[in-house]
Amino acid sequence: MNATVYLDYNASAPMWPEAAEAAAEAMRAGANASSIHAPGRAARARVEQARQSVARLVGADPAGIVFTGGGTEANNQAIRCCGAARVLVSAIEHESALSADERAVRLPVTADGVIDLEALDRALAAAPRPALVAVMLANNETGVVQPVAGAVAAARRHGARVHCDAVQAAGKIPVDAAALGADSYAVSAHKLGGPQGVGALVLRDPDGAAPLIHGGGQERGRRAGTENVAGIAGFGRAAEIAAQRLDEFARLSALRDRMEAEIRALDPGAWMPGAAAPRLPNTSMAVMPGCESAAQVIAMDLDGIAVSAGSACSSGRVRPPYVLAAMGVDEDAAMCALRVSLGWRTTAGEVDRFVAAWARLRDRTARRVA
Ligand code: PLP
């Protein structure tokens, strides 16, 4: 029996062994990072080293890093605790950004899945001040990279702030927070080979967000609660390795492009929403006409291949992915989209196995439809 081919890195990437070891070491050592005795100081040192590493990965000042319980919390804090009179979110944001403010205005995207900067400009002109724009750096489902610097320029024209969800981008493509110019960023450890349940809010102004979670004075009063030292240590180590091995992600785009070309050759009706726009090197959203996403995921699973139907958060609910709906993809096609996301352990042989499984499923679908 072959090992499972794991092609669901955008849901959660396997941990780098070094990151798992760093987390385990911190867990074995124990101690509270706020304690002043020697074991406490050792725990504090792990947290501060990780702060440096995460800051380096995204080109930010370590003073602006606030460790959180993940990307969801970082998005919530950025959006709920910035004091904006109006929040504007792109319609393709992750649910953690979309649902952080129920009064938020949704901004349209183009058919390629790119935020419409002219519509943003108009919405900003109509919004009460100060406004906050939330736009992601890369979409979790299509992989489409967003024009964040353009969104920042538009926001500045209207005196607005910008929060950028960099959860899927960090560790996959270079992220330079200072150059992009947003006021805050969300990052999550488990998307880049670190542990689940830990992330960071990255602030340009270290005091630029009020706390979402109140209590003790941890994280300089910006996030109460005893630090998850083991998680943070694993996050820091994962950030270091991801930064060192960023070039390897470039290798994945050739593999992804070959995979997509083979799928199109197998079925000229198959297509990839967002493929015409700049994308993450590892992500592919592929529509297999006539075969619903859930059926594809189950068939792939039986074939030993782990992939997903849109974002993991929306699986289990039978409705077309809202990201594709926002791009104007018709409902029948959107219901048949499969998300394939490669990562640091993916081999050419695994992609071959996926394409072979896709071909078998496509033949069965064609026979059923005929
Ligand atoms: N933002 C994006 C773009 C994501 O893909 C995800 C997770 O799927 C999140 C935020 C949430 O991150 P976390 O799982 O760390 O809460």
Side-chain angles (χ1 to χ4, degrees), residues 75-86:
N75 279 337
N76 270 263
Q77 184 170 358
I79 293 170
R80 298 168 80 124
C81 305
C82 66
R86 180 62 40 84

Side-chain angles (χ1 to χ4, degrees), residues 33-331:
S34 300
S35 299
I36 56 173
H37 46 59
R41 293 198 306 278
R44 167 61 48 201
R46 291 182 206 277
V47 170
E48 295 314 317
Q49 189 187 336
R51 202 182 305 280
Q52 301 278 339
S53 304
V54 171
R56 216 170 297 122
L57 176 69
V58 296
D61 179 354
I65 304 286
V66 181
F67 286 115
T68 64
T72 296
E73 185 187 319
N75 279 337
N76 270 263
Q77 184 170 358
I79 293 170
R80 298 168 80 124
C81 305
C82 66
R86 180 62 40 84
V87 174
L88 313 170
V89 288
S90 91
I92 57 164
E93 294 302 298
H94 187 260
E95 280 164 319
S96 56
L98 282 178
S99 57
D101 178 347
E102 59 195 17
R103 294 185 320 126
V105 172
R106 301 234 173 152
L107 302 163
V109 297
T110 66
D112 284 335
V114 180
I115 181 172
D116 180 340
L117 290 176
E118 286 175 13
L120 168 63
D121 204 62
R122 286 194 298 274
L124 278 164
R129 295 186 177 199
L132 173 82
V133 179
V135 56
M136 61 198 340
L137 188 46
N139 183 261
N140 38 307
E141 299 189 20
T142 59
V144 171
V145 175
Q146 302 298 317
V148 172
V152 170
R156 297 296 178 242
R157 285 197 291 278
H158 297 278
R161 291 161 57 91
V162 176
H163 169 65
C164 173
D165 175 345
V167 163
Q168 289 293 345
K172 295 182 182 135
I173 55 173
V175 176
D176 185 341
L180 286 170
D183 298 280
S184 58
Y185 298 83
V187 190
S188 175
H190 74 109
K191 307 293 186 180
L192 52 87
Q196 297 171 341
V198 58
L201 174 64
V202 180
L203 297 167
R204 194 158 67 103
D205 166 4
D207 300 313
L212 175 69
I213 296 179
H214 297 263
Q218 291 92 349
E219 294 297 291
R220 290 184 37 193
R222 298 167 300 183
R223 202 276 187 181
T226 301
E227 283 98 341
N228 169 8
V229 178
I232 291 170
F235 184 13
R237 194 74 188 99
E240 284 164 21
I241 298 168
Q244 283 158 15
R245 299 180 62 171
L246 210 49
D247 285 352
E248 280 184 28
F249 260 84
R251 157 189 84 90
L252 294 177
S253 71
L255 218 48
R256 188 266 319 265
D257 292 349
R258 170 168 75 75
M259 176 188 89
E260 291 188 343
E262 289 176 5
I263 286 177
R264 284 198 201 94
L266 285 163
D267 181 350
W271 63 290
M272 291 85 202
R279 282 184 298 167
L280 292 174
N282 76 315
T283 307
S284 177
M285 187 81 157
V287 173
M288 182 192 290
C291 187
E292 287 204 350
S293 314
Q296 291 188 57
V297 172
I298 293 165
M300 288 290 169
D301 190 40
L302 291 171
D303 237 334
I305 294 169
V307 285
S308 118
S311 78
C313 315
S314 63
S315 55
R317 270 182 272 160
V318 187
R319 59 174 171 82
Y322 64 87
V323 170
L324 297 187
M327 292 163 66
V329 173
D330 83 55
E331 190 165 327

